[in-house]
Amino acid sequence: MESEPGKKGSFRVVLIENDPERISLLNNDFGALVDIITEPEYTQALDYLEMGNPVDLIICKDSAGYSDFLKSLRKKVYFHSIPVILFKEHEETDPKAVQGQVIDVFSLPYPLEALQIRLNYLIQKKQYSEAARTPYKPTRIRSPFGKRAFDIVVSATALLMLSPILAVVAVLVKLDSKGPVFYRSKRVGMGYRIFDMYKFRTMRTDADKMLANMASLNMYNVAPSVPVSDLCEECQLAGTECRQVLFLDNEKICEKLYHQKQKAKATFSKFKEDPRVTKLGKFLRNSSIDELPQLFNILLGDMSFVGNRPLPPYEAEKLTSTGYARRFAAPAGLTGLWQVTKRGKSKVSDLERIQLDVLYAKKYSFKTDLIIMIKTVKAVFQKENV
């Protein structure tokens, strides 16, 4: 067994080779980069490994016995993490033999540059894993102390005073239609934190299944997205085939047309005269009684009385760009700037709503919260079916 003297933290390679010329060549090419421990036979290499010597990589060739050697590595759990590079001398290599930890197969004579790139990658990977790195822990965004104190005191008081009403509504929901009393859904709030938001159930139990067929009723739709042609307007005018081809899910489509369709899709979903809503649900929604269980979310700290509406994850994931993501710097709210300025208006765009959310995140204060809460009282009992 031959070994190059190594330094602490060096990368140790076991080379299974009995050709002096190839051993010398590898040492000349990579001796300065890694510590090379040479074993002439597979059995000796296995003995070296079983003695507990630290090994970062094994290099061997597809000579007699290599298949059994690789099988032996697979049988022992503590050898599973050692990657193997195989030098190919023969035309055909047994595919079953190279399954598992063989990460590369190089034909001999080995390509110097490709092998060097692979070794550099493995060395850097080891250095990264051994480095004393403190994992990044994002700081949780918190509401201002005064705002949070107000939320706790008022929500606890409101829950105590409204408990008889909550009990009556719970019974009515149960009698009105089949299904649970409360509706619980995942929402994304302040700092992209996901939580369970609670409401009184106002929809049929099969509401989610009906959603796919209701895209045309969405109030936020820019325009019906009915493709007239498979080509964009530019390609149609030029009278040519698509000049900006995009392959998506193995389908060939025009890139410009694809982006036009994506822009036409609404970020938010809201429906006028929603057919999924129950008879009692319409009253609960118009009076905002359905949202009273969110007082528990406020008490728990998931939400605040005033803020930006918490979004379902599929809507929140569309708002991760720098300008849009600013809305998540504000607390999730029971009511907010958008609700008191645009609630019930059919002509409202995605951008208009997002801009109002971002504006609140930049400007919110105790004074603005009080103004919004006063305006909310006026807006609560307006007649709307959204």
Side-chain angles (χ1 to χ4, degrees), residues 170-178:
V171 173
L172 292 175
V173 171
K174 196 67 179 176
L175 295 174
D176 180 59
S177 61
K178 294 180 180 179

Side-chain angles (χ1 to χ4, degrees), residues 225-336:
S225 55
V226 180
V228 179
S229 169
D230 292 333
L231 299 176
C232 65
E233 187 177 349
E234 184 181 328
C235 293
Q236 290 181 56
L237 291 173
T240 63
E241 293 185 358
C242 183
R243 291 177 290 183
Q244 289 182 280
V245 180
L246 177 69
F247 290 91
L248 188 67
D249 295 331
N250 295 322
E251 290 186 13
K252 181 181 175 182
I253 60 175
C254 174
E255 186 174 1
K256 280 195 173 183
L257 196 64
Y258 170 75
H259 288 303
Q260 288 172 7
K261 290 179 181 179
Q262 290 300 107
K263 287 180 180 178
K265 290 182 179 179
T267 300
F268 306 112
S269 297
K270 198 174 185 72
F271 305 96
K272 194 172 183 66
E273 300 294 344
D274 194 333
R276 301 172 299 167
V277 179
T278 63
K279 292 180 180 179
L280 176 63
K282 289 182 180 180
F283 168 74
L284 296 178
R285 284 186 164 207
N286 288 344
S287 60
S288 294
I289 293 175
D290 67 316
E291 297 188 358
L292 288 180
Q294 289 170 46
L295 290 169
F296 289 104
N297 288 116
I298 295 172
L299 186 63
L300 293 171
D302 299 326
M303 296 171 59
S304 176
F305 273 101
V306 182
N308 291 328
R309 287 301 292 166
L311 302 178
Y314 65 85
E315 289 183 2
E317 70 179 2
K318 300 176 185 177
L319 302 176
T320 55
S321 62
T322 304
Y324 295 168
R326 182 65 183 268
R327 79 174 299 282
F328 294 101
L334 184 64
T335 186

